[in-house]
Amino acid sequence: MRYDFGSDNTAGMQPAALQALIAANEGYARAYGADDITARAADQIRQRLDADAEIRFVFSGTAANAIALSMLAWPHEAVLAHHAAHVCTDETGAPGFFGQGVGLIGLPGLSGKIDQKALEAALEEPEVGHRQPPAALSLTQSTEYGTVYTEEELRHLIEPVKARGYGVHLDGARLANAAAAGFDLTQIARLGVDVLVFGGAKAGGLCTEAIVMFDRSLARRVDNRLKQAGQTASKGRFLTAPMLGLLESNAWEDGAAHANLMAARLAEGIALRSRFVLAHPVEANAVFVRMPAKAHARLNELGWACYRFDDGSVRFVCSWATEEAVVDEVIEAIAGLS
């Protein structure tokens, strides 16, 4: 492959993350997350969120999301989410597994954003004993289609949910890209989010994601929950060191800003120089293109990795490592497709 635009997971670690991992290998440190590196990483996240939250680190976004949702709903209840959200389409039922039966209710909405009227209609559904009633809302920022919720959009979705006493989860696997696009991280807690997944892997870290519990009551026996789920790292410093490296160097933000810039460059080139159209607004680091199967197959044959997404469009994802020259080269390749 000339370059892999299939996902921002395909890029390696940012230098700051890798250097922090190597530095963490010196000497001895307390085990199971009681080390100084883990404490510093948690403090860095609290500073960005301007919130006194309880924080734990786990091995994957799927585990983080599923465990978080299991905190917000009982097994006989369900979680409302966009039908294309990662929790609905890409986690192999993990929320139900960790939640011992917690269900998911998919909602429509353009470009990955939940439609407010659809949410309100779901909340107004009568509760009956034959199906799982909603108990929480899951949001994604930035969304699976590369769009970014505004603070006002989130408020309109969260307020009716909180008015019913339900919980709110925010999947922030690409939160860095949303922040780079102008989203104010300090508003997350103020909007009423109960638990956030603070993403590190797609930002150029190793595999680490942080579960951020703004509602500290959710942290009751959380360490027991994580241990049972196989999410407690014995050598915790190696799990959190790459995240610390990203945060202390500001590479978390800088890498995301670069990824967003490359996506904007790619989108502009496709719009101006090819016969294909963009399927969704480009607001973060992903570009979705309406492209026939034959053209897509030819692009893959030429060595450009990208794949067809849930809505039928072809997705290109930029990362901290995406180079301008590579973006320009793939634009040339796309422009030459018949």
mmCIF file with all atom_site columns, all heavy atoms in Angstrom, residues 7 27-28 53 58 60 84 92 97 104 119 133 139 146 162 174 240 262 268 270 295 298 318:
data_model
loop_
_atom_site.group_PDB
_atom_site.id
_atom_site.type_symbol
_atom_site.label_atom_id
_atom_site.label_alt_id
_atom_site.label_comp_id
_atom_site.label_asym_id
_atom_site.label_entity_id
_atom_site.label_seq_id
_atom_site.pdbx_PDB_ins_code
_atom_site.Cartn_x
_atom_site.Cartn_y
_atom_site.Cartn_z
_atom_site.occupancy
_atom_site.B_iso_or_equiv
_atom_site.pdbx_formal_charge
_atom_site.auth_seq_id
_atom_site.auth_comp_id
_atom_site.auth_asym_id
_atom_site.auth_atom_id
_atom_site.pdbx_PDB_model_num
ATOM 1   N N   . SER A 1 7   ? -7.958  4.069   8.469   1.00 0.00 ? 7   SER A N   1
ATOM 2   C CA  . SER A 1 7   ? -8.264  4.466   9.840   1.00 0.00 ? 7   SER A CA  1
ATOM 3   C C   . SER A 1 7   ? -7.078  5.223   10.422  1.00 0.00 ? 7   SER A C   1
ATOM 4   O O   . SER A 1 7   ? -5.934  5.022   9.994   1.00 0.00 ? 7   SER A O   1
ATOM 5   C CB  . SER A 1 7   ? -8.562  3.233   10.704  1.00 0.00 ? 7   SER A CB  1
ATOM 6   O OG  . SER A 1 7   ? -8.680  3.580   12.063  1.00 0.00 ? 7   SER A OG  1
ATOM 7   N N   . GLY A 1 27  ? 13.788  2.279   36.068  1.00 0.00 ? 27  GLY A N   1
ATOM 8   C CA  . GLY A 1 27  ? 13.566  2.070   37.494  1.00 0.00 ? 27  GLY A CA  1
ATOM 9   C C   . GLY A 1 27  ? 12.323  1.268   37.818  1.00 0.00 ? 27  GLY A C   1
ATOM 10  O O   . GLY A 1 27  ? 11.808  0.496   37.002  1.00 0.00 ? 27  GLY A O   1
ATOM 11  N N   . TYR A 1 28  ? 11.826  1.489   39.025  1.00 0.00 ? 28  TYR A N   1
ATOM 12  C CA  . TYR A 1 28  ? 10.666  0.764   39.535  1.00 0.00 ? 28  TYR A CA  1
ATOM 13  C C   . TYR A 1 28  ? 9.504   1.731   39.746  1.00 0.00 ? 28  TYR A C   1
ATOM 14  O O   . TYR A 1 28  ? 9.686   2.941   39.889  1.00 0.00 ? 28  TYR A O   1
ATOM 15  C CB  . TYR A 1 28  ? 11.009  0.093   40.865  1.00 0.00 ? 28  TYR A CB  1
ATOM 16  C CG  . TYR A 1 28  ? 12.087  -0.966  40.740  1.00 0.00 ? 28  TYR A CG  1
ATOM 17  C CD1 . TYR A 1 28  ? 13.439  -0.611  40.803  1.00 0.00 ? 28  TYR A CD1 1
ATOM 18  C CD2 . TYR A 1 28  ? 11.757  -2.297  40.552  1.00 0.00 ? 28  TYR A CD2 1
ATOM 19  C CE1 . TYR A 1 28  ? 14.433  -1.573  40.691  1.00 0.00 ? 28  TYR A CE1 1
ATOM 20  C CE2 . TYR A 1 28  ? 12.738  -3.266  40.436  1.00 0.00 ? 28  TYR A CE2 1
ATOM 21  C CZ  . TYR A 1 28  ? 14.082  -2.893  40.497  1.00 0.00 ? 28  TYR A CZ  1
ATOM 22  O OH  . TYR A 1 28  ? 15.063  -3.848  40.375  1.00 0.00 ? 28  TYR A OH  1
ATOM 23  N N   . ALA A 1 53  ? -12.730 14.991  38.293  1.00 0.00 ? 53  ALA A N   1
ATOM 24  C CA  . ALA A 1 53  ? -13.350 13.710  37.964  1.00 0.00 ? 53  ALA A CA  1
ATOM 25  C C   . ALA A 1 53  ? -12.508 12.548  38.456  1.00 0.00 ? 53  ALA A C   1
ATOM 26  O O   . ALA A 1 53  ? -11.299 12.666  38.671  1.00 0.00 ? 53  ALA A O   1
ATOM 27  C CB  . ALA A 1 53  ? -13.532 13.606  36.449  1.00 0.00 ? 53  ALA A CB  1
ATOM 28  N N   . VAL A 1 58  ? -7.947  2.151   30.594  1.00 0.00 ? 58  VAL A N   1
ATOM 29  C CA  . VAL A 1 58  ? -8.203  0.786   30.138  1.00 0.00 ? 58  VAL A CA  1
ATOM 30  C C   . VAL A 1 58  ? -7.530  0.563   28.788  1.00 0.00 ? 58  VAL A C   1
ATOM 31  O O   . VAL A 1 58  ? -6.966  1.471   28.190  1.00 0.00 ? 58  VAL A O   1
ATOM 32  C CB  . VAL A 1 58  ? -9.717  0.495   30.057  1.00 0.00 ? 58  VAL A CB  1
ATOM 33  C CG1 . VAL A 1 58  ? -10.358 0.579   31.427  1.00 0.00 ? 58  VAL A CG1 1
ATOM 34  C CG2 . VAL A 1 58  ? -10.414 1.450   29.084  1.00 0.00 ? 58  VAL A CG2 1
ATOM 35  N N   . SER A 1 60  ? -8.754  -0.410  25.752  1.00 0.00 ? 60  SER A N   1
ATOM 36  C CA  . SER A 1 60  ? -9.392  -0.159  24.454  1.00 0.00 ? 60  SER A CA  1
ATOM 37  C C   . SER A 1 60  ? -10.617 0.719   24.603  1.00 0.00 ? 60  SER A C   1
ATOM 38  O O   . SER A 1 60  ? -11.223 0.802   25.680  1.00 0.00 ? 60  SER A O   1
ATOM 39  C CB  . SER A 1 60  ? -9.792  -1.477  23.787  1.00 0.00 ? 60  SER A CB  1
ATOM 40  O OG  . SER A 1 60  ? -10.942 -2.024  24.405  1.00 0.00 ? 60  SER A OG  1
ATOM 41  N N   . ALA A 1 84  ? -25.500 4.635   13.866  1.00 0.00 ? 84  ALA A N   1
ATOM 42  C CA  . ALA A 1 84  ? -24.175 4.374   13.304  1.00 0.00 ? 84  ALA A CA  1
ATOM 43  C C   . ALA A 1 84  ? -23.061 4.517   14.333  1.00 0.00 ? 84  ALA A C   1
ATOM 44  O O   . ALA A 1 84  ? -21.884 4.420   13.986  1.00 0.00 ? 84  ALA A O   1
ATOM 45  C CB  . ALA A 1 84  ? -23.909 5.314   12.128  1.00 0.00 ? 84  ALA A CB  1
ATOM 46  N N   . THR A 1 92  ? -19.494 -5.550  18.767  1.00 0.00 ? 92  THR A N   1
ATOM 47  C CA  . THR A 1 92  ? -19.897 -6.951  18.895  1.00 0.00 ? 92  THR A CA  1
ATOM 48  C C   . THR A 1 92  ? -20.727 -7.226  20.150  1.00 0.00 ? 92  THR A C   1
ATOM 49  O O   . THR A 1 92  ? -20.540 -8.223  20.840  1.00 0.00 ? 92  THR A O   1
ATOM 50  C CB  . THR A 1 92  ? -18.654 -7.879  18.882  1.00 0.00 ? 92  THR A CB  1
ATOM 51  O OG1 . THR A 1 92  ? -17.703 -7.372  17.948  1.00 0.00 ? 92  THR A OG1 1
ATOM 52  C CG2 . THR A 1 92  ? -19.048 -9.294  18.457  1.00 0.00 ? 92  THR A CG2 1
ATOM 53  N N   . PHE A 1 97  ? -22.774 -7.256  26.814  1.00 0.00 ? 97  PHE A N   1
ATOM 54  C CA  . PHE A 1 97  ? -21.972 -8.253  27.524  1.00 0.00 ? 97  PHE A CA  1
ATOM 55  C C   . PHE A 1 97  ? -21.541 -7.721  28.884  1.00 0.00 ? 97  PHE A C   1
ATOM 56  O O   . PHE A 1 97  ? -21.766 -8.350  29.915  1.00 0.00 ? 97  PHE A O   1
ATOM 57  C CB  . PHE A 1 97  ? -20.746 -8.621  26.681  1.00 0.00 ? 97  PHE A CB  1
ATOM 58  C CG  . PHE A 1 97  ? -19.812 -9.582  27.358  1.00 0.00 ? 97  PHE A CG  1
ATOM 59  C CD1 . PHE A 1 97  ? -20.098 -10.937 27.395  1.00 0.00 ? 97  PHE A CD1 1
ATOM 60  C CD2 . PHE A 1 97  ? -18.649 -9.131  27.959  1.00 0.00 ? 97  PHE A CD2 1
ATOM 61  C CE1 . PHE A 1 97  ? -19.234 -11.832 28.017  1.00 0.00 ? 97  PHE A CE1 1
ATOM 62  C CE2 . PHE A 1 97  ? -17.781 -10.017 28.579  1.00 0.00 ? 97  PHE A CE2 1
ATOM 63  C CZ  . PHE A 1 97  ? -18.070 -11.366 28.610  1.00 0.00 ? 97  PHE A CZ  1
ATOM 64  N N   . LEU A 1 104 ? -29.487 -1.633  23.249  1.00 0.00 ? 104 LEU A N   1
ATOM 65  C CA  . LEU A 1 104 ? -29.166 -0.419  22.508  1.00 0.00 ? 104 LEU A CA  1
ATOM 66  C C   . LEU A 1 104 ? -30.351 -0.057  21.629  1.00 0.00 ? 104 LEU A C   1
ATOM 67  O O   . LEU A 1 104 ? -30.935 -0.920  20.967  1.00 0.00 ? 104 LEU A O   1
ATOM 68  C CB  . LEU A 1 104 ? -27.921 -0.626  21.644  1.00 0.00 ? 104 LEU A CB  1
ATOM 69  C CG  . LEU A 1 104 ? -26.603 -0.870  22.389  1.00 0.00 ? 104 LEU A CG  1
ATOM 70  C CD1 . LEU A 1 104 ? -25.545 -1.379  21.429  1.00 0.00 ? 104 LEU A CD1 1
ATOM 71  C CD2 . LEU A 1 104 ? -26.139 0.398   23.079  1.00 0.00 ? 104 LEU A CD2 1
ATOM 72  N N   . LEU A 1 119 ? -34.916 11.753  19.150  1.00 0.00 ? 119 LEU A N   1
ATOM 73  C CA  . LEU A 1 119 ? -34.603 11.486  20.554  1.00 0.00 ? 119 LEU A CA  1
ATOM 74  C C   . LEU A 1 119 ? -35.809 11.755  21.436  1.00 0.00 ? 119 LEU A C   1
ATOM 75  O O   . LEU A 1 119 ? -36.164 10.936  22.296  1.00 0.00 ? 119 LEU A O   1
ATOM 76  C CB  . LEU A 1 119 ? -33.424 12.349  20.996  1.00 0.00 ? 119 LEU A CB  1
ATOM 77  C CG  . LEU A 1 119 ? -33.115 12.330  22.500  1.00 0.00 ? 119 LEU A CG  1
ATOM 78  C CD1 . LEU A 1 119 ? -32.685 10.942  22.953  1.00 0.00 ? 119 LEU A CD1 1
ATOM 79  C CD2 . LEU A 1 119 ? -32.047 13.360  22.844  1.00 0.00 ? 119 LEU A CD2 1
ATOM 80  N N   . PRO A 1 133 ? -36.710 -0.250  28.426  1.00 0.00 ? 133 PRO A N   1
ATOM 81  C CA  . PRO A 1 133 ? -36.879 1.201   28.351  1.00 0.00 ? 133 PRO A CA  1
ATOM 82  C C   . PRO A 1 133 ? -35.517 1.890   28.379  1.00 0.00 ? 133 PRO A C   1
ATOM 83  O O   . PRO A 1 133 ? -34.545 1.352   28.924  1.00 0.00 ? 133 PRO A O   1
ATOM 84  C CB  . PRO A 1 133 ? -37.671 1.519   29.620  1.00 0.00 ? 133 PRO A CB  1
ATOM 85  C CG  . PRO A 1 133 ? -37.213 0.472   30.586  1.00 0.00 ? 133 PRO A CG  1
ATOM 86  C CD  . PRO A 1 133 ? -36.993 -0.782  29.776  1.00 0.00 ? 133 PRO A CD  1
ATOM 87  N N   . LEU A 1 139 ? -23.480 9.591   23.308  1.00 0.00 ? 139 LEU A N   1
ATOM 88  C CA  . LEU A 1 139 ? -23.141 10.527  22.250  1.00 0.00 ? 139 LEU A CA  1
ATOM 89  C C   . LEU A 1 139 ? -21.705 10.287  21.793  1.00 0.00 ? 139 LEU A C   1
ATOM 90  O O   . LEU A 1 139 ? -20.904 9.725   22.542  1.00 0.00 ? 139 LEU A O   1
ATOM 91  C CB  . LEU A 1 139 ? -23.281 11.967  22.757  1.00 0.00 ? 139 LEU A CB  1
ATOM 92  C CG  . LEU A 1 139 ? -24.689 12.393  23.189  1.00 0.00 ? 139 LEU A CG  1
ATOM 93  C CD1 . LEU A 1 139 ? -24.620 13.620  24.092  1.00 0.00 ? 139 LEU A CD1 1
ATOM 94  C CD2 . LEU A 1 139 ? -25.544 12.683  21.958  1.00 0.00 ? 139 LEU A CD2 1
ATOM 95  N N   . GLY A 1 146 ? -17.419 12.029  11.067  1.00 0.00 ? 146 GLY A N   1
ATOM 96  C CA  . GLY A 1 146 ? -16.464 13.131  11.030  1.00 0.00 ? 146 GLY A CA  1
ATOM 97  C C   . GLY A 1 146 ? -17.047 14.503  11.264  1.00 0.00 ? 146 GLY A C   1
ATOM 98  O O   . GLY A 1 146 ? -16.399 15.513  10.950  1.00 0.00 ? 146 GLY A O   1
ATOM 99  N N   . LYS A 1 162 ? -31.452 14.327  30.872  1.00 0.00 ? 162 LYS A N   1
ATOM 100 C CA  . LYS A 1 162 ? -31.172 14.576  32.282  1.00 0.00 ? 162 LYS A CA  1
ATOM 101 C C   . LYS A 1 162 ? -32.452 14.921  33.043  1.00 0.00 ? 162 LYS A C   1
ATOM 102 O O   . LYS A 1 162 ? -32.572 14.594  34.237  1.00 0.00 ? 162 LYS A O   1
ATOM 103 C CB  . LYS A 1 162 ? -30.159 15.716  32.426  1.00 0.00 ? 162 LYS A CB  1
ATOM 104 C CG  . LYS A 1 162 ? -28.806 15.449  31.774  1.00 0.00 ? 162 LYS A CG  1
ATOM 105 C CD  . LYS A 1 162 ? -28.070 14.283  32.406  1.00 0.00 ? 162 LYS A CD  1
ATOM 106 C CE  . LYS A 1 162 ? -27.515 14.638  33.766  1.00 0.00 ? 162 LYS A CE  1
ATOM 107 N NZ  . LYS A 1 162 ? -26.620 13.585  34.302  1.00 0.00 ? 162 LYS A NZ  1
ATOM 108 N N   . ARG A 1 174 ? -12.325 10.188  19.304  1.00 0.00 ? 174 ARG A N   1
ATOM 109 C CA  . ARG A 1 174 ? -11.697 11.254  18.504  1.00 0.00 ? 174 ARG A CA  1
ATOM 110 C C   . ARG A 1 174 ? -11.990 12.622  19.121  1.00 0.00 ? 174 ARG A C   1
ATOM 111 O O   . ARG A 1 174 ? -12.206 13.607  18.422  1.00 0.00 ? 174 ARG A O   1
ATOM 112 C CB  . ARG A 1 174 ? -12.188 11.187  17.058  1.00 0.00 ? 174 ARG A CB  1
ATOM 113 C CG  . ARG A 1 174 ? -11.732 9.921   16.326  1.00 0.00 ? 174 ARG A CG  1
ATOM 114 C CD  . ARG A 1 174 ? -12.050 9.961   14.836  1.00 0.00 ? 174 ARG A CD  1
ATOM 115 N NE  . ARG A 1 174 ? -11.508 8.791   14.154  1.00 0.00 ? 174 ARG A NE  1
ATOM 116 C CZ  . ARG A 1 174 ? -12.187 7.661   13.924  1.00 0.00 ? 174 ARG A CZ  1
ATOM 117 N NH1 . ARG A 1 174 ? -13.460 7.554   14.329  1.00 0.00 ? 174 ARG A NH1 1
ATOM 118 N NH2 . ARG A 1 174 ? -11.623 6.652   13.303  1.00 0.00 ? 174 ARG A NH2 1
ATOM 119 N N   . THR A 1 240 ? -0.296  4.055   30.689  1.00 0.00 ? 240 THR A N   1
ATOM 120 C CA  . THR A 1 240 ? -0.586  5.483   30.753  1.00 0.00 ? 240 THR A CA  1
ATOM 121 C C   . THR A 1 240 ? 0.541   6.386   30.264  1.00 0.00 ? 240 THR A C   1
ATOM 122 O O   . THR A 1 240 ? 0.304   7.552   29.945  1.00 0.00 ? 240 THR A O   1
ATOM 123 C CB  . THR A 1 240 ? -0.942  5.885   32.190  1.00 0.00 ? 240 THR A CB  1
ATOM 124 O OG1 . THR A 1 240 ? 0.114   5.476   33.072  1.00 0.00 ? 240 THR A OG1 1
ATOM 125 C CG2 . THR A 1 240 ? -2.235  5.223   32.622  1.00 0.00 ? 240 THR A CG2 1
ATOM 126 N N   . MET A 1 262 ? -5.199  18.056  7.257   1.00 0.00 ? 262 MET A N   1
ATOM 127 C CA  . MET A 1 262 ? -4.994  17.160  6.115   1.00 0.00 ? 262 MET A CA  1
ATOM 128 C C   . MET A 1 262 ? -6.332  16.697  5.531   1.00 0.00 ? 262 MET A C   1
ATOM 129 O O   . MET A 1 262 ? -6.481  16.568  4.315   1.00 0.00 ? 262 MET A O   1
ATOM 130 C CB  . MET A 1 262 ? -4.155  15.961  6.546   1.00 0.00 ? 262 MET A CB  1
ATOM 131 C CG  . MET A 1 262 ? -2.711  16.291  6.891   1.00 0.00 ? 262 MET A CG  1
ATOM 132 S SD  . MET A 1 262 ? -1.756  17.036  5.544   1.00 0.00 ? 262 MET A SD  1
ATOM 133 C CE  . MET A 1 262 ? -1.897  18.791  5.944   1.00 0.00 ? 262 MET A CE  1
ATOM 134 N N   . GLU A 1 268 ? -11.037 19.288  -0.049  1.00 0.00 ? 268 GLU A N   1
ATOM 135 C CA  . GLU A 1 268 ? -11.021 20.363  -1.054  1.00 0.00 ? 268 GLU A CA  1
ATOM 136 C C   . GLU A 1 268 ? -10.519 19.851  -2.394  1.00 0.00 ? 268 GLU A C   1
ATOM 137 O O   . GLU A 1 268 ? -11.083 20.164  -3.448  1.00 0.00 ? 268 GLU A O   1
ATOM 138 C CB  . GLU A 1 268 ? -10.152 21.523  -0.567  1.00 0.00 ? 268 GLU A CB  1
ATOM 139 C CG  . GLU A 1 268 ? -10.125 22.700  -1.529  1.00 0.00 ? 268 GLU A CG  1
ATOM 140 C CD  . GLU A 1 268 ? -9.255  23.835  -1.030  1.00 0.00 ? 268 GLU A CD  1
ATOM 141 O OE1 . GLU A 1 268 ? -8.299  23.574  -0.267  1.00 0.00 ? 268 GLU A OE1 1
ATOM 142 O OE2 . GLU A 1 268 ? -9.514  25.000  -1.416  1.00 0.00 ? 268 GLU A OE2 1
ATOM 143 N N   . ILE A 1 270 ? -10.615 16.762  -3.563  1.00 0.00 ? 270 ILE A N   1
ATOM 144 C CA  . ILE A 1 270 ? -11.596 15.869  -4.169  1.00 0.00 ? 270 ILE A CA  1
ATOM 145 C C   . ILE A 1 270 ? -12.758 16.671  -4.763  1.00 0.00 ? 270 ILE A C   1
ATOM 146 O O   . ILE A 1 270 ? -13.222 16.398  -5.874  1.00 0.00 ? 270 ILE A O   1
ATOM 147 C CB  . ILE A 1 270 ? -12.109 14.855  -3.140  1.00 0.00 ? 270 ILE A CB  1
ATOM 148 C CG1 . ILE A 1 270 ? -10.985 13.882  -2.756  1.00 0.00 ? 270 ILE A CG1 1
ATOM 149 C CG2 . ILE A 1 270 ? -13.327 14.091  -3.667  1.00 0.00 ? 270 ILE A CG2 1
ATOM 150 C CD1 . ILE A 1 270 ? -11.319 12.977  -1.594  1.00 0.00 ? 270 ILE A CD1 1
ATOM 151 N N   . ALA A 1 295 ? -14.715 2.311   -9.148  1.00 0.00 ? 295 ALA A N   1
ATOM 152 C CA  . ALA A 1 295 ? -13.698 3.332   -8.909  1.00 0.00 ? 295 ALA A CA  1
ATOM 153 C C   . ALA A 1 295 ? -12.977 3.065   -7.589  1.00 0.00 ? 295 ALA A C   1
ATOM 154 O O   . ALA A 1 295 ? -11.752 3.219   -7.489  1.00 0.00 ? 295 ALA A O   1
ATOM 155 C CB  . ALA A 1 295 ? -14.338 4.711   -8.906  1.00 0.00 ? 295 ALA A CB  1
ATOM 156 N N   . ARG A 1 298 ? -10.546 0.241   -8.050  1.00 0.00 ? 298 ARG A N   1
ATOM 157 C CA  . ARG A 1 298 ? -9.363  0.683   -8.798  1.00 0.00 ? 298 ARG A CA  1
ATOM 158 C C   . ARG A 1 298 ? -8.420  1.469   -7.898  1.00 0.00 ? 298 ARG A C   1
ATOM 159 O O   . ARG A 1 298 ? -7.192  1.299   -7.974  1.00 0.00 ? 298 ARG A O   1
ATOM 160 C CB  . ARG A 1 298 ? -9.792  1.546   -9.995  1.00 0.00 ? 298 ARG A CB  1
ATOM 161 C CG  . ARG A 1 298 ? -8.637  2.081   -10.828 1.00 0.00 ? 298 ARG A CG  1
ATOM 162 C CD  . ARG A 1 298 ? -7.749  0.958   -11.320 1.00 0.00 ? 298 ARG A CD  1
ATOM 163 N NE  . ARG A 1 298 ? -6.605  1.463   -12.074 1.00 0.00 ? 298 ARG A NE  1
ATOM 164 C CZ  . ARG A 1 298 ? -5.462  0.816   -12.228 1.00 0.00 ? 298 ARG A CZ  1
ATOM 165 N NH1 . ARG A 1 298 ? -5.302  -0.386  -11.673 1.00 0.00 ? 298 ARG A NH1 1
ATOM 166 N NH2 . ARG A 1 298 ? -4.475  1.334   -12.927 1.00 0.00 ? 298 ARG A NH2 1
ATOM 167 N N   . CYS A 1 318 ? -7.538  10.750  8.080   1.00 0.00 ? 318 CYS A N   1
ATOM 168 C CA  . CYS A 1 318 ? -6.201  11.318  8.230   1.00 0.00 ? 318 CYS A CA  1
ATOM 169 C C   . CYS A 1 318 ? -5.777  11.236  9.694   1.00 0.00 ? 318 CYS A C   1
ATOM 170 O O   . CYS A 1 318 ? -6.618  11.204  10.595  1.00 0.00 ? 318 CYS A O   1
ATOM 171 C CB  . CYS A 1 318 ? -6.183  12.768  7.758   1.00 0.00 ? 318 CYS A CB  1
ATOM 172 S SG  . CYS A 1 318 ? -6.566  12.946  5.994   1.00 0.00 ? 318 CYS A SG  1
#
